[in-house]
Amino acid sequence: MINDQHPEFFKAFSELINQRQKINTPILITAHQNPDGDAVGSALGLHWYFKRLGISSVVMMPNSYPKFLDWMPGSKDIVIYENTPEKGKAAVEAAEYMFILDYNDLSRAGNELCDVIGRSKAVKFMIDHHVAPSNCARYIYSDAKQPSTAQMVMLLLMELNSHELLGKDGAACLFTGIITDTGSFRFPLVTAETFRITAALFDLGIDHSAIYAHVYDSYDERRFRLLGYMLAQMEVLGDAGVSVLYLTKEQQQKEQMKKGDTEGFVNYGLNLKGAKVAAFFREDEDFTRISFRSKGQIDMNVFARAHFNGGGHVNAAGGSSYDSLQDTLTRFKELIVPYVQIA
Ligand code: 5GP
Ligand code: MN
């Protein structure tokens, strides 16, 4: 129970709800940079809940979300800080209460927004499932054993006996967060509880097949061609069980790659029989963005933190490198082989 494990958070959240008449400005709900299904899903889920309670809230993301999420109820009203920084700043400055969802350190809100949020006087509530939370919120519900932030939001609302207020729209948002962060219920952190709360979301009327189609059957031709390049040039470190995937800047330019086109590409590396680690390197303007995935005990959060200015979870982490793509790939291959062997 959250009330037992995070009593301060639970009490403060309950009081916020019970004394909602006293809130004067919209509650600000934020998530991390390059928001994924769980970031957008948990934020919009909470937004729908607040709406049905008569609490006004604004959802803000540091930059835009991938196109396969634009069907989500409420997504059109999300404030994208990068596009409208003045509007974003005003929302942060006005907020008396702020939610920090699916991130646990302000640096994950991006360089600019990080400072703006840091200066804010709002009472901050964090709900997050990444390891090593920083002390950037007044009330913290952090649990790295949870497979998604959307699940944590649902557990909180269920414990308050009020999750039905989510309605079909809020439930669809949380379901999206759950499926995208668990690889559709595959990852090790999934438990019976994940299925129990998912059952409760079904009871609220979600159309799961339609949601799956939105999220997974949304490839355009560009994405297929990029995937083709990536798979054709995959390198396999067979003995170590490592798949190395990458896309060069030229390849992305040739296909006029758009943000989000390569979302999920890294997971293909783990489809290789015997693969324990997959890494995907996307060469950008002046750096390379990296996604790491692993199976079992191989801790990619520790690896990403130690070598690639990143972090995340045991089985899914990310990072970046300012060396050239070639040097980055070479460095990764040298580091990962012994790392897999000692794990
Ligand atoms: P992805 O590969 O999908 O971008 O990220 C996988 C996971 O690692 C996500 O949960 C994400 O929050 C986390 N992550 C990705 N990049 C970074 C990073 O640069 N720093 C930290 N701390 N976490 C990251
Ligand atoms: Mn998440």
Side-chain angles (χ1 to χ4, degrees):
M1 298 294 271
I2 302 163
N3 192 17
D4 300 327
Q5 273 153 21
H6 308 274
E8 264 205 72
F9 178 97
F10 192 79
K11 185 161 174 277
F13 186 85
S14 310
E15 276 174 17
L16 181 70
I17 300 306
N18 293 336
Q19 312 209 344
R20 55 189 176 275
Q21 294 82 1
K22 295 188 190 156
I23 307 172
N24 296 311
T25 58
I27 292 182
L28 185 64
I29 304 173
T30 63
H32 58 79
Q33 195 166 33
N34 301 322
D36 56 10
D38 191 32
V40 181
S42 57
L44 287 175
L46 190 61
H47 168 74
W48 281 106
Y49 171 76
F50 282 151
K51 197 178 170 83
R52 300 243 160 71
L53 268 178
I55 299 176
S56 159
S57 68
V58 172
V59 176
M60 179 166 78
M61 301 286 154
N63 59 354
S64 59
Y65 49 83
K67 206 163 160 33
F68 69 85
L69 298 175
D70 69 1
W71 60 275
M72 290 177 83
S75 63
K76 300 285 180 294
D77 296 326
I78 294 177
V79 176
I80 307 295
Y81 183 83
E82 189 177 72
N83 299 347
T84 55
E86 291 312 317
K87 191 172 171 185
K89 258 183 220 134
V92 176
E93 278 158 17
E96 295 163 82
Y97 298 97
M98 184 183 305
F99 280 75
I100 290 179
L101 295 188
D102 204 34
Y103 67 114
N104 64 16
D105 186 85
L106 295 187
S107 64
R108 293 280 293 136
N111 286 343
E112 246 196 78
L113 185 53
C114 159
D115 291 340
V116 177
I117 295 179
R119 283 196 300 273
S120 148
K121 299 267 184 301
V123 176
K124 301 187 186 85
F125 289 77
M126 178 201 295
I127 306 179
D128 180 72
H129 66 133
H130 296 86
V131 293
S134 71
N135 207 8
C136 64
R138 171 72 184 83
Y139 300 106
I140 297 180
Y141 169 27
S142 162
D143 184 353
K145 290 217 156 52
Q146 292 287 337
S148 67
T149 299
Q151 173 159 333
M152 298 171 77
V153 170
M154 186 61 175
L155 287 173
L156 176 63
L157 306 189
M158 286 177 84
E159 196 166 322
L160 290 163
N161 258 324
S162 58
H163 64 280
E164 287 177 7
L165 287 170
L166 285 165
K168 191 177 164 182
D169 288 334
C173 296
L174 292 186
F175 181 70
T176 305
I178 291 169
I179 62 174
T180 53
D181 256 31
T182 60
S184 297
F185 303 101
R186 284 187 55 179
F187 296 156
L189 293 179
V190 169
T191 61
E193 189 165 63
T194 313
F195 288 97
R196 275 194 286 271
I197 67 159
T198 301
L201 295 173
F202 272 62
D203 285 338
L204 293 174
I206 59 166
D207 184 346
H208 63 287
S209 292
I211 295 171
Y212 269 109
H214 280 303
V215 173
Y216 295 109
D217 303 336
S218 61
Y219 283 29
D220 51 26
E221 287 177 47
R222 237 181 20 234
R223 190 166 149 100
F224 272 104
R225 271 192 286 272
L226 288 165
L227 183 59
Y229 293 138
M230 182 193 81
L231 294 176
Q233 64 205 12
M234 175 168 84
E235 290 178 36
V236 177
L237 310 177
D239 293 341
V242 177
S243 346
V244 185
L245 302 160
Y246 61 93
L247 282 172
T248 65
K249 205 161 49 181
E250 288 71 30
Q251 289 171 327
Q252 297 167 63
Q253 280 162 353
K254 189 161 164 237
E255 297 304 332
Q256 290 158 12
M257 199 200 87
K258 300 221 164 45
K259 216 181 113 42
D261 277 351
T262 59
E263 174 90 25
F265 273 22
V266 62
N267 297 310
Y268 284 91
L270 287 185
N271 291 149
L272 181 79
K273 193 174 164 85
K276 290 181 256 178
V277 171
F280 169 59
F281 299 78
R282 188 174 60 74
E283 187 184 17
D284 214 313
E285 261 330 299
D286 52 1
F287 73 111
T288 295
R289 176 74 217 148
I290 315 167
S291 286
F292 300 108
R293 297 290 184 273
S294 69
K295 287 182 179 160
Q297 302 301 311
I298 303 172
D299 191 335
M300 298 319 287
N301 166 54
V302 167
F303 183 81
R305 270 173 204 263
H307 305 295
F308 291 98
N309 319 302
H313 315 266
V314 172
N315 296 125
S320 45
S321 162
Y322 288 85
D323 299 334
S324 72
L325 175 63
Q326 272 319 319
D327 288 353
T328 304
L329 290 172
T330 305
R331 193 157 72 86
F332 169 72
K333 287 186 259 182
E334 282 168 8
L335 291 165
I336 195 66
V337 172
Y339 191 73
V340 171
Q341 276 154 2
I342 57 158

